[in-house]
Amino acid sequence: MQDKLMLMIPGPTPVPERVLLAMAAHPIGHRSGDFSAIIGELNDNLKWLHQTKNEVLTLCVSGTGAMEAGIINFLSAGDSVLVGNNGKFGDRWAKMSRKFGLEVEEISAEWGHPLDPEAFRAKLEADTEKKIKAVIITHSETSTGVLNDLETINKHVKAHGEALIIVDAVTSLGAVDLKIDELGLDVVASGSQKGYMIPPGLGFVAVSDKAWKAYETATLPKFYLDLAPYKKANAKNSSPFTPPINLMFALQASLQMMKEEGLENIFARHKRLTQLTRDKVKALGLPLFAPDDCASYAVTAVAPDKHDAEAIRSTMRKKYDIALAGGQDHLKGKIFRIGHLGFMSDRDVLTAIAALEATLKELG
Ligand SMILES: *Cc1c(COP(=O)(O)O)cnc(C)c1O
């Protein structure tokens, strides 16, 4: 049925009507006083969401653009970096780092398993000459539904003392309690179509003082994604280029909604929906792809052993108007993923589970 499609993929995520309505307006001039006031509000609320006093910079990019800004502003060609790779997005970090001429050492784990913090400790402790300039990891690995142990890995980075910690928090920000200042995370990248409950098009980068210090000596070329002009503009409630005005209207509304709900409640809701999804999937007799103790709060990957995952997805979509995500790369056909990130409630999960049960019956 038209307009009935329920998005249960880990991005883009559903957008609340209040946010859609906020977007349905004529753009206003980006140098106007009215828009400057909006930028001021956004900057305050972004800091609130990131639990940081650091600058949070807003870019007109998807999440990958925010990741790229996180590399090119703080590193130079030839720099050694440790990259965690246990899925599609960790792999993207590694590929991107190599493209920019960084010396990449990967710490890998099988897809569906978390990164081993001990492997990071060993590499960082062995680096007595302090050659490692950054440790780069994906917090919530969306391709597998694994939440990596950022806190423990970060502890080892802090013990090293020199290396920056650069984090893809695209599907953890706004879902998991991520205390950026308390942990001392240096660069944290995220994107608007995930926990922010708005359409794709905005990327965000939170930057620590230590990272700004590294910025001064970083020599990778950059122009549109050079973060210094964004920082300067932020101080004046302005932007260096024309921002996507209507997406900023959306962000204004979504951040207001998030503030009304409160961070604790948002995190508790994501935790509850994750638990609910996992319990119900197990009750249907379907194996979960990621272990319980490292489950992402954004997405649950299911590895049906008796059915083709793509057949399940197809029936869910055609018959029940529910869009689930498939497996990526070698996991295509082997897993499907249920997104429960952003504007999601218990009812959404229960609906999806009921449809999943009916789908399994239908497929035999
Ligand atoms: C969605 C996502 C990204 C960004 O992807 P874009 O398509 O560039 O927005 C990056 N990392 C993770 C973990 C993601 O889930």
Tab-separated table of all heavy atoms in Angstrom, residues 76 180 263 280 294 358:
chain	number	residue	atom	x	y	z
A	76	SER	N	48.792	13.447	8.528
A	76	SER	CA	49.600	13.744	7.347
A	76	SER	C	49.972	12.434	6.654
A	76	SER	O	50.047	11.389	7.304
A	76	SER	CB	50.894	14.464	7.759
A	76	SER	OG	50.589	15.597	8.558
A	180	ILE	N	31.696	11.998	25.539
A	180	ILE	CA	32.872	12.382	24.765
A	180	ILE	C	33.935	13.064	25.629
A	180	ILE	O	35.115	12.723	25.558
A	180	ILE	CB	32.442	13.286	23.586
A	180	ILE	CG1	31.650	12.429	22.582
A	180	ILE	CG2	33.647	13.945	22.930
A	180	ILE	CD1	31.222	13.127	21.335
A	263	LEU	N	18.332	12.740	27.456
A	263	LEU	CA	19.340	11.760	27.034
A	263	LEU	C	19.144	10.399	27.690
A	263	LEU	O	19.203	9.363	27.039
A	263	LEU	CB	20.751	12.272	27.354
A	263	LEU	CG	21.372	13.286	26.391
A	263	LEU	CD1	22.785	13.634	26.829
A	263	LEU	CD2	21.372	12.753	24.960
A	280	LYS	N	12.682	-11.387	21.185
A	280	LYS	CA	11.626	-11.872	20.297
A	280	LYS	C	12.210	-12.686	19.138
A	280	LYS	O	11.611	-13.681	18.719
A	280	LYS	CB	10.812	-10.697	19.739
A	280	LYS	CG	10.041	-9.919	20.802
A	280	LYS	CD	8.878	-10.734	21.323
A	280	LYS	CE	8.095	-9.977	22.371
A	280	LYS	NZ	7.103	-10.823	23.041
A	294	CYS	N	27.804	-7.717	23.234
A	294	CYS	CA	28.343	-6.614	22.423
A	294	CYS	C	27.321	-6.204	21.368
A	294	CYS	O	27.662	-5.908	20.232
A	294	CYS	CB	29.675	-6.998	21.790
A	294	CYS	SG	29.569	-8.414	20.701
A	358	ALA	N	4.906	-14.147	10.817
A	358	ALA	CA	4.014	-14.509	9.708
A	358	ALA	C	4.818	-14.850	8.452
A	358	ALA	O	4.474	-15.778	7.714
A	358	ALA	CB	3.049	-13.355	9.439
